[in-house]
Amino acid sequence: MSIRDKLISGPLCFGSAPLGNMFRNIPEGEAAATVDAAWQQGIRYFDTAPLYGAGLSEMRLGRAWAGRWPNTSATSTCSVPRSAG
C-alpha cells in the first residue's frame, strides 16, 4: 500500500525545508534517502526555496534527482519574497 492510498486524492508535495537543515542538521545520506523514499512513493512535486539552508535544499534535491533525468519528470516550486518597492 502506498502513501497515496492512505491520503486524500490529489497531488502531494514534498516540502524540502528540512533538507536545508531548517529544523535540525540532516546528514547527506539521510537527505538523499528521504528524497528517494518520496520518489519511490510517486511524489513528483517538490517545494524548495533559496532560504532553505541558503540553497542547501536545492543542491540536495539536485543531487538526489541526478540520474533520474530525462526519463522521468518532476515539478519543483520556489517562492521568493519580493520587496514592496
Side-chain angles (χ1 to χ4, degrees):
M1 177 175 282
S2 75
I3 192 169
R4 290 184 181 277
D5 296 329
K6 297 179 182 180
L7 300 173
I8 59 174
S9 63
L12 295 177
C13 179
F14 179 97
S16 67
L19 298 183
N21 295 335
M22 184 160 263
F23 306 109
R24 68 178 178 89
N25 287 335
I26 306 287
E28 287 294 326
E30 184 179 337
T34 302
V35 175
D36 187 57
W39 191 275
Q40 294 302 320
Q41 290 295 318
I43 303 299
R44 297 294 185 274
Y45 179 32
F46 296 82
D47 172 70
T48 189
L51 298 176
Y52 299 166
L56 179 60
S57 71
E58 294 166 312
M59 291 185 286
R60 286 178 163 175
L61 282 174
R63 285 192 292 268
W65 290 343
R68 299 180 199 270
W69 302 94
N71 299 324
T72 58
S73 64
T75 301
S76 176
T77 61
C78 178
S79 179
V80 179
R82 308 222 187 261
S83 65

